[in-house]
Amino acid sequence: MKFDNYKKALANFIFPWTCKICGRSDNVDQGICPDCLSILPWCQRSCYQCGLPVHTSGTDHLICGQCLQKPPNFDHLHAALWYQPPISQLIAGFKYHQCWENVRCLINLFAMTDPLVPPKSRVIPIPSHPARIRERGFNVVYECMRFLKKQLPIKCDPSLLKRISYTETQTGKTRLQRRLNVKNSFAVSRPIQKENIILFDEVVTTGATVNEASRQLKRAGARHVVVWCIARTVR
C-alpha cells in the first residue's frame, strides 16, 4: 500500500465517514453511502457546450438547439450533478453554514465523473471581489480548489483572472439581469498565448458569470475554455 493510501486508510479509521444523506456509517468511503450514490441527480444526456439537458438521440458531444444558434463563449461545460436536493442542500450548508466536510464530499463526487482535462491546460477559479470575501469570511471557490488539487492532476493559476467590480449577488435575478450584472466585471492579468483554460465554479445557474469570464479570456488570447462545476441548475 502506498504511503498516501495508508494515510487515507488511517484517517478513515480514526475519523470514519458518515453518509451526508442518510447518516449511515458502514461502507461509506466518499462521504455518501452506495445506496445514496445511486439516487443522486447525476448529470446525464446534457449539451456538450452549455451543460443543459438534451433529449435528442445520440451519444457523445450532443449540442442543444440554442447552442447551435447562439453558442456561449466557452467551448464545453462539465457538471457532475444537477443543482437539486440533496446536492443543493450540501452546497448551501458549505456556503452559508461553513459545513467544511461538505466540501470534501462534493469534490469527491465531482472527481468521480472524470472531467475532461485539455492538454497543457490550467485551472482558474472564478474570482470573487475582495469585499464579497470579507462579507462571507472565506472564498467559496478557492476552498473547493484546495480539495480539487488533491483529487486531480491539475495546474492552478488563481491570479490570471480578477474580479474588478463589486457586483450584486446573482441570487433571485433573471437571466438578463444576471448577464448585465456581471458584464465587464472581470479582467485578465496578462496576455494568454493560445492556452487551454479550465474555469471552475461551484454552481452554474444561467451561465452568465462563466460566459462573461470566458469572453474576457478569449479576448486575451485563450484558445479553448472549458467550464467545470459541481452542479448545474436546470432551467
Side-chain angles (χ1 to χ4, degrees):
M1 179 183 294
K2 294 182 179 180
F3 183 64
D4 288 344
N5 292 337
Y6 174 79
K7 288 195 299 181
K8 180 179 177 181
L10 181 61
N12 288 339
F13 177 77
I14 299 174
F15 304 105
W17 280 102
T18 56
C19 179
K20 300 297 297 181
I21 308 302
C22 68
R24 65 184 283 187
S25 57
D26 59 301
N27 195 25
V28 178
D29 181 39
Q30 301 295 331
I32 297 182
C33 70
D35 290 340
C36 291
L37 273 176
S38 66
I39 61 171
L40 290 179
W42 298 100
C43 285
Q44 296 177 339
R45 296 194 63 76
S46 59
C47 173
Y48 179 82
Q49 195 149 16
C50 71
L52 289 172
V54 292
H55 305 289
T56 58
S57 60
T59 53
D60 298 329
H61 291 200
L62 298 172
I63 305 294
C64 69
Q66 180 171 317
C67 287
L68 288 173
Q69 293 180 5
K70 188 178 180 181
N73 293 312
F74 48 88
D75 301 284
H76 170 52
L77 187 146
H78 176 90
L81 301 127
W82 300 119
Y83 189 69
Q84 298 170 351
I87 297 304
S88 55
Q89 296 161 342
L90 289 177
I91 293 175
F94 160 48
K95 292 178 68 173
Y96 305 115
H97 304 289
Q98 290 78 52
C99 296
W100 302 110
E101 66 274 14
N102 289 13
V103 188
R104 183 164 60 134
C105 174
L106 290 164
I107 293 300
N108 285 343
L109 294 175
F110 178 81
M112 288 170 58
T113 62
D114 192 24
L116 171 68
V117 183
K120 298 180 180 180
S121 59
R122 61 185 68 218
V123 180
I124 302 174
I126 287 290
S128 296
H129 193 274
R132 181 75 67 197
I133 297 173
R134 288 194 296 270
E135 288 176 4
R136 182 164 283 152
F138 66 100
N139 189 313
V140 173
V141 182
Y142 282 21
E143 291 298 324
C144 291
M145 290 297 299
R146 287 199 304 113
F147 288 92
L148 189 63
K149 288 188 292 186
K150 298 176 182 179
Q151 292 282 356
L152 298 172
I154 56 176
K155 180 179 181 180
C156 299
D157 190 354
S159 65
L160 181 61
L161 188 68
K162 298 183 181 298
R163 178 88 67 157
I164 57 174
S165 61
Y166 180 82
T167 56
E168 298 178 3
T169 177
Q170 296 281 66
T171 304
K173 294 185 181 300
T174 66
R175 184 179 181 84
L176 176 59
Q177 289 171 334
R178 285 172 179 258
R179 181 169 59 83
L180 295 175
N181 189 43
V182 296
K183 187 175 182 180
N184 297 321
S185 60
F186 297 102
V188 181
S189 61
R190 61 170 176 79
I192 308 172
Q193 298 180 353
K194 297 183 179 180
E195 296 180 36
N196 294 319
I197 302 297
I198 299 171
L199 276 174
F200 181 84
D201 206 355
E202 83 279 5
V203 177
V204 170
T205 304
T206 64
T209 300
V210 292
N211 197 52
E212 175 62 19
S214 300
R215 184 175 75 89
Q216 296 296 343
L217 289 165
K218 289 284 185 74
R219 287 182 62 187
R223 175 173 53 190
H224 194 79
V225 178
V226 170
V227 176
W228 285 358
C229 63
I230 297 170
R232 178 72 159 104
T233 298
V234 181
R235 290 198 210 110

